[in-house]
Amino acid sequence: MSTTQLLFSEKVRRFVKRNGSVVIFLILAIIASIFVKNFFALNNFLTIIKQAAIPIIACLGITLVLMTGGIDLSLGYTLGLCSITVGLLVKGVGLPIWLSIFITLLVGLLVGFINGILVQVVKVPAFIVTLGTGYIIFGIAQIVSSGSDINRLPANFRAIGVTNIFGLNTTVLISLIICVVMYYLLHHSTFGRSLSAFGFNAKAARMSGIKTERLNISVYMICSFLVAIAAILLTIRVNCAQPTMGGGVYTFEVITGAIIGGASLFGGIGTVIGSVFGVLTIKVLENCINLLNVSYYTYQAFQGIVILLAIIFENVKNRRL
Amino acid sequence: MKKTILEMNAITKFIFDEHGQPLRGTTVKILEDVHFDVKEAEVHVLVGENGAGKSTLMKIIGGIIPADEGEMLLDGEVITFAGPRESLAHGIGFIHQELNLCLNLDVAQNIFLGRERQKKLFIDKASMYTEAREMLLRLGFDIDPKTMVRDLSTAQQQIVEIVKVLSYDCRIIIMDEPTASLTKSEIDKLFAIIHDLRRNGISIIYISHRFEELKEIGDRITVLRDGRYIGTVDIEDFDYDKIISMMVGRKLGAMFQSSHQVQDEVVLEVKGLRISRNTEPINLYVRSGEVVGLSGLVGAGRTELGKSIFGSRTYYGGEILYMGEEIGGLHPSNLIEKGVIYLSEDRKLEGLVLDMSLKDNITMASLKRMYPKTKIDFKREEVVAQESIDKLNIVANSVEQICNTLSGGNQQKVVVAKWLLTNPKLLILDEPTRGIDVNAKSEIYKIIDQLASQGVAILMISSELPEIIGMSDRIYVMKRGAIAAELTDKREFIQEKILSHTL
Ligand SMILES: Nc1ncnc2c1ncn2[C@@H]1O[C@H](COP(=O)(O)OP(=O)(O)OP(=O)(O)O)[C@@H](O)[C@H]1O
Ligand SMILES: [Mg+2]
């Protein structure tokens, strides 16, 4: 074997080690291309990307939270609250669009702030805090909407998410921009470095001069802020503001994406590329199930299997590579 | 002639993953063709520089990792251990260099972990506490078995670890730097225990960087260098310079130097600070260009004082002035910005993020200063980390090596490097040379001296009296949470004198 070859295999090894979810995604995509009719088509790929664009935004949010060693179980409910908020403001109250969006984003930030304060200052485990706030948020969403949806949103509001620029859907574009920003934040800024340190060893991080208290709260805020963006885009996409949008299922889908992407529940570890491909993996799976016309329940079982395989793969690759 | 009970021949170990298996395709050896043996009822001392492979060799005996090549014989029969339990079952106890206690359990629960005393179906707490108390008292330590381990000082934790291993019936006990965090009086107790054990036919493998100890308890000394076996000498032939040259391959210069000059400007002044509700108030000061030693027994409150100053602990009243400005209660991040740093005695929990790389750890406390615009410059970072590695002789494969896999002493050097990089003006050093070999120690002393000549103020907490005596311009002795004495005259800097104030 020549040295360049060796180097190449070494490069592959490192890439696989760092980006397990990319490999899982590719394996799944190849299998699907062979066995699932209509899967290997440009149009189908575009559909998958469109479907993944919004959950990716939320997934990047939860990735940060997981990196602190915390979790946000209220994520799905925050999505519902923000959906109904923007719907009410745009159509019910009739506020200008920019203001409605602005307020919705503030609602997201507020939710995150409350979660963050409870976790950091009151020192309740994140799991319990967000389980509780999740129910409260769900309740509030029901109350403000009186339990009903808001259909047929104004066209100029919808334009934000459904216009095409250079042939790219704006929702996908926004998602892409967020990925780039988050990539910078996580992998090229002191924020990401501090976050990792905090997740691995909060005490050592604090004593090394990292403002861990502020960092922890800000992470929950960023997460809910991203969820608010996801909520607005999803509301536009389905053309309907619903208090029940998201929910627990959504939370778990997004967390699953992050976990397939290699994020650790114990904190410290998480990557943008991993999480993006984690979500893409889930969406490919969903897509195949659709194409194969199997029932939703079968899909859930499949999803479970893929998660387990992903985690096993993660383990094996850490041991063998 | 004593009987050889354990023998290791031609042991080779490659760098390994978390399961102890050699990394794929690696040719980097931690140990190469190492020979080692233990006789009945002897204290066999193992020395070598940081990263020489001492702990790795012990991990093989302790069944934590397998050897890649070579054989191990116990009572003349070839043996391999599948795990630490098997090794323990064969009568080999291991006191690790890094503490391995469960912080959220109490002392007794830790001692009896995995073999809880039972009364029918229930755990018999009462008898566990009595047994634990008896054990501790018999060995001469006054620690309440009901205290949570997290509330113990590092030294007390070390003692619990020792007691725990001693409570198993072992023929061979490995002690990997057991005294690194202990003070004189506990060390004396430990030595009494070791003599006792040896009298009862038990063998001890003893690792230490404190040379003054070796003659007192050792029977034979084996030296490792760069993962290779250099030789074994009887203690009668012990010669300091000879051992050093075996260890580092050359002779060492003077250990301590003093080229700095104390200035008038007071950098740190502590007035009336109480570290707990019912201790006496503490008053002390450190001037620019001055090295002040802080001595005292375990539990005297030295670490508590350091942490109080560094905003990592609540204290009860009093003022902390830095260049005349009150800094009490400030966040470590603000203090670091001002040039105040505290090097923790506990590198595993407070000093390092073990899961991150050497480079990440070295720059961790300087992120804000190095990257005010928050964008990380990876090239520059690598250069800076490499400079630290060269300056402190850190033994590592690359700047990307995860700190977990560094040897204990090299981890300590990373902590030192991290703090030096912040350009401090006031250094509070808590056991700065813990686990560091002689060669690197003299390097660090040199650096401390240099910093002092540049006007940096240094408060050095240390359990090593030679270090306190050799480095300090002035010494405070602490006792029961208060300052018991201040020694200003260098002629008073004598071990006995300092010790007499601690008791
Ligand atoms: N898993 C690993 N991967 C890579 N390098 C390793 C690994 N484990 C140990 N090393 C390296 O092997 C060398 C020997 O380590 P070891 O812990 O045995 O040293 P030591 O003699 O006990 O030193 P110290 O006095 O500092 O405790 C070190 O340079 C360390 O970085
Ligand atoms: Mg060691």
Side-chain angles (χ1 to χ4, degrees), chain B residues 14-18 23 28-31 47-59 65 97-98 176-177 207 209 224 227 347 395-397 401-402 404-411 413 435-437:
Chain B
F14 293 95
I15 56 173
F16 53 88
D17 61 17
E18 68 255 48
L23 295 184
V28 184
K29 291 172 182 167
I30 301 176
L31 296 172
V47 295
E49 284 185 288
N50 295 134
K54 306 179 294 294
S55 298
T56 307
L57 188 65
M58 293 306 109
K59 282 179 194 159
I65 52 172
Q97 181 172 17
E98 304 299 335
D176 196 349
E177 299 192 36
I207 299 179
H209 291 293
L224 291 184
R347 61 171 170 257
V395 183
N397 304 327
Q401 187 170 349
I402 304 297
N404 236 333
T405 62
L406 291 176
S407 80
N410 284 304
Q411 289 179 1
K413 291 184 206 167
I436 286 185
D437 67 48

Side-chain angles (χ1 to χ4, degrees), chain A residues 257-308:
Chain A
I259 303 265
I260 296 177
S264 159
L265 286 172
F266 301 106
I269 308 169
T271 63
V272 170
I273 292 186
S275 292
V276 167
F277 278 88
V279 174
L280 281 172
T281 304
I282 295 178
K283 290 301 166 188
V284 165
L285 201 66
E286 214 173 83
N287 181 263
C288 292
I289 302 291
N290 271 334
L291 291 176
L292 291 172
N293 243 336
V294 233
S295 79
Y296 181 70
Y297 301 106
T298 325
Y299 161 64
Q300 291 214 317
F302 259 106
Q303 194 180 3
I305 292 171
V306 169
I307 296 166
L308 284 179

Side-chain angles (χ1 to χ4, degrees), chain B residues 242-259:
Chain B
K242 180 173 149 203
I243 296 287
I244 298 277
S245 69
M246 281 170 85
M247 266 174 68
V248 299
R250 63 189 161 78
K251 283 207 170 124
L252 276 188
M255 197 69 179
F256 302 107
Q257 13 189 296
S258 180
S259 61

Side-chain angles (χ1 to χ4, degrees), chain B residues 67-119:
Chain B
D68 295 332
E69 286 163 25
E71 58 173 15
M72 181 156 68
L73 299 112
L74 190 64
D75 298 320
E77 280 174 37
V78 175
I79 193 164
T80 49
F81 298 132
R85 271 178 185 272
E86 249 181 59
S87 164
L88 191 60
H90 281 85
I92 300 175
F94 194 167
I95 300 168
H96 290 267
Q97 181 172 17
E98 304 299 335
L99 297 171
N100 270 314
L101 299 171
C102 298
L103 294 179
N104 53 346
L105 297 180
D106 66 28
V107 171
Q109 283 167 333
N110 262 289
I111 291 178
F112 291 106
L113 195 67
R115 46 174 184 149
E116 285 78 6
R117 299 284 177 263
Q118 287 194 325
K119 213 189 232 165

Side-chain angles (χ1 to χ4, degrees), chain A residues 13 184 187-191 193-194 196-198 200-201 203-213 318-321, chain B residues 17 19 310-311 331-334 336 342 348-350 352-353 355-356 360 363-365 371 374-376 378 381 418-419:
Chain A
R13 191 182 71 86
Y184 170 80
H187 303 303
H188 283 269
S189 80
T190 52
F191 175 86
R193 176 72 61 78
S194 308
S196 262
F198 172 64
F200 279 127
N201 185 344
K203 214 167 177 183
R206 184 176 186 277
M207 291 179 74
S208 299
I210 293 169
K211 291 220 156 122
T212 53
E213 299 83 358
N318 285 346
R319 207 171 328 152
R320 291 292 154 79
L321 290 176
Chain B
D17 61 17
H19 303 274
F310 197 62
H331 193 280
S333 88
N334 301 107
I336 292 167
Y342 167 76
K348 196 172 166 189
L349 287 180
E350 299 175 346
L352 284 174
V353 179
D355 297 292
M356 292 176 86
D360 291 355
T363 55
M364 191 167 292
Y371 317 116
T374 75
K375 183 176 177 1
I376 293 178
F378 292 100
E381 191 165 62
K418 168 173 90 174
W419 290 122

